[in-house]
Amino acid sequence: MATAGKIISCKAAVAWEFDKPLVIEEVEVAPPQEKEVRIKIVATGVCQSDLYYLLKCMNKALFPSVFGHEAAGIVESIGPGVTEFQPGDKVIPLFMPQCRECRFCKSPKTNLCVNGSAGHIDGKNIESSRITCKGKKLLQFLGVSSFSEYTVVKELALAKIDPAAPLDKVCVIGCAICTGYGAAVNSAKVEPGSTCAVFGLGAVGLAAVMGCKAAGAKRIIAIDINPEKFEKAKIFGATDVVNPNDHSKPIHQVMVEMTNGGVDYSIECIGNVEIMRTALESCIKGWGVSVIAGWTNMQDISTQPIQLMTGRKWTGTLFGGFKGKDGVAQMVKAYLDKKVMVDEFITHNMTLDQINEAVTLMKHGQCIRTVLSVSPQ
């Protein structure tokens, strides 16, 4: 392309300060370096993880930055040594990279990658950022920064997808859908005929419901304090819906009574440590499995040892246990084959200029997923 090897000036939503509105600025995006790829972001979802670091987790080292990590785009140019991509490829950036060479990538036991950090959330990687504004480097959140018309990512943090995929839909596969769906099928390993409980019906929770159904669960209990999400949960496969505010008993007791001892599998999709404990204690003793899919790093989790000593298993998941490149391509194909739902997650479509409105919608639980149109295809 004509822009290859040149600095690109474009629009981005810049977070200059914690808990302040994002500002649409003109930024400069440098050409890709060794084993890097510059991409034009076509569409991006607004995820709770972006809001968590923008509005909740008071880490000043993250600012200034460009948030956004759930996206889809087109390769604009490639840096030296890149062999997997060519300009024009449709791609989804990965906050869970996959180099395919390290001991973790070669192991079926994990989706972590030694050579690609899931970090970029401590401010220490700002010197490697390819995005600057007003002469100042901006942190690339999770190594992605999709709230920008262009960004640069490592080759190992990018998945090539089917050219038939609609980018304004499949962008949400880059975080929420894989995280929730994989929490059920990969991490919990939900079995046919089982009973499941999903705590929290945002995009991750609804994807977990969909995963439980795909795995053959016979009963899927969807739990949220917002009853407006219940009809959507039924579309994805929920057989029961529960609002904790409708009960005087602790919700884990309600679950135990509803299921004759507890559910076989529970998935926490909120990022609330109290609900993580509730989800564990909603599981049946002997074999119950509880998966933590919601993110927080501000509190510790705790429970009584007897909850685990009697046979329950407590585990967590990042990106639903999917290896980045392989999992994303697999889920895009499943969507194109009509084996997983994607469109149904998207409740709002906006432009990058409307990003603060999108943040407000998510902050107040008024959307499942807002997709921002960033650049024309």
Side-chain angles (χ1 to χ4, degrees), residues 9-45:
S9 294
C10 64
K11 287 196 307 184
V14 178
W16 290 108
E17 297 180 71
F18 171 75
D19 198 20
K20 295 288 196 257
L22 301 174
V23 182
I24 302 297
E25 303 272 17
E26 182 173 284
V27 301
E28 292 76 46
V29 182
Q33 302 302 305
E34 184 80 18
K35 295 284 188 178
E36 292 181 344
V37 179
R38 187 161 62 185
I39 57 177
K40 178 174 75 171
I41 299 292
V42 172
T44 184

Side-chain angles (χ1 to χ4, degrees), residues 72 126 133 264 353 364:
I126 196 162
C133 182
D264 300 302
D353 290 331
H364 296 291

Side-chain angles (χ1 to χ4, degrees), residues 11 349-356 358 370-374:
K11 287 196 307 184
N349 289 278
M350 295 182 175
T351 66
L352 182 63
D353 290 331
Q354 297 172 293
I355 191 165
N356 287 309
T370 297
V371 169
L372 302 177
S373 174
V374 182

Side-chain angles (χ1 to χ4, degrees), residues 41-356:
I41 299 292
V42 172
T44 184
V46 180
C47 176
Q48 284 285 2
S49 297
D50 300 309
L51 269 63
Y52 176 82
Y53 285 99
L54 176 64
L55 304 175
K56 295 180 182 178
C57 181
M58 293 169 42
N59 183 353
K60 292 183 179 179
L62 289 174
F63 300 90
S65 77
V66 177
F67 285 95
H69 62 284
E70 181 184 83
I74 299 169
V75 172
E76 175 269 341
S77 61
I78 60 175
V82 171
T83 58
E84 192 176 344
F85 302 95
Q86 293 295 327
D89 286 344
K90 284 189 175 182
V91 290
I92 289 178
L94 305 170
F95 68 92
M96 289 291 292
Q98 182 185 3
C99 74
R100 295 199 171 110
E101 297 174 356
C102 71
R103 59 183 294 206
F104 281 10
C105 282
K106 290 181 177 179
S107 170
K109 297 179 181 179
T110 182
N111 66 336
L112 301 181
C113 173
V114 171
N115 294 317
S117 170
H120 296 82
I121 53 175
D122 54 11
K124 294 179 181 177
N125 296 299
I126 196 162
E127 287 308 312
S128 65
S129 173
R130 305 294 175 226
I131 305 176
T132 59
C133 182
K134 300 176 182 177
K136 190 174 183 66
K137 285 206 172 193
L138 306 178
L139 181 76
Q140 289 192 234
F141 180 64
L142 293 175
V144 178
S145 288
S146 58
F147 295 165
S148 175
E149 291 178 324
Y150 286 85
T151 190
V152 176
V153 301
K154 294 180 179 180
E155 182 179 27
L156 55 79
L158 197 62
K160 187 185 298 186
I161 61 172
D162 193 308
L167 300 180
D168 61 339
K169 307 295 185 185
V170 299
C171 58
V172 294
I173 288 176
C175 181
I177 293 179
C178 281
T179 297
Y181 189 90
V185 300
N186 298 329
S187 303
K189 293 182 169 56
V190 170
E191 295 180 336
S194 60
T195 297
C196 303
V198 175
F199 290 79
L201 300 177
V204 173
L206 293 173
V209 170
M210 181 169 67
C212 291
K213 181 181 180 182
K218 70 176 180 182
R219 190 175 186 190
I220 304 167
I221 305 169
I223 304 153
D224 202 289
I225 59 173
N226 183 354
E228 294 180 5
K229 296 181 177 179
F230 289 163
E231 288 308 309
K232 182 74 81 169
K234 291 175 183 176
I235 291 171
F236 285 102
T239 57
D240 302 74
V241 292
V242 173
N243 184 342
N245 291 336
D246 293 340
H247 298 270
S248 57
K249 297 178 181 177
I251 198 64
H252 72 274
Q253 290 185 17
V254 175
M255 290 295 101
V256 168
E257 292 174 6
M258 283 179 65
T259 58
N260 189 30
V263 299
D264 300 302
Y265 304 93
S266 69
I267 305 172
E268 193 277 347
C269 302
I270 302 168
N272 181 306
V273 295
E274 294 180 2
I275 305 302
M276 292 172 188
R277 177 172 180 164
T278 293
L280 173 70
E281 296 176 4
S282 297
C283 286
I284 192 165
K285 60 185 178 183
W287 62 79
V289 175
S290 187
V291 177
I292 297 170
W295 172 263
T296 183
N297 62 357
M298 292 194 292
Q299 297 93 25
D300 294 336
I301 53 173
S302 66
T303 191
Q304 294 179 335
I306 193 66
Q307 296 292 339
L308 301 174
M309 293 170 74
T310 49
R312 297 176 186 84
K313 293 182 175 61
W314 207 2
T315 189
T317 188
L318 277 172
F319 201 51
F322 282 110
K323 289 182 181 289
K325 291 176 181 286
D326 298 339
V328 163
Q330 170 190 334
M331 289 295 282
V332 169
K333 184 178 187 306
Y335 165 65
L336 293 174
D337 292 342
K338 295 182 167 47
K339 293 179 180 178
V340 299
M341 290 183 277
V342 171
D343 300 33
E344 292 81 358
F345 287 88
I346 302 168
T347 54
H348 297 75
N349 289 278
M350 295 182 175
T351 66
L352 182 63
D353 290 331
Q354 297 172 293
I355 191 165
N356 287 309

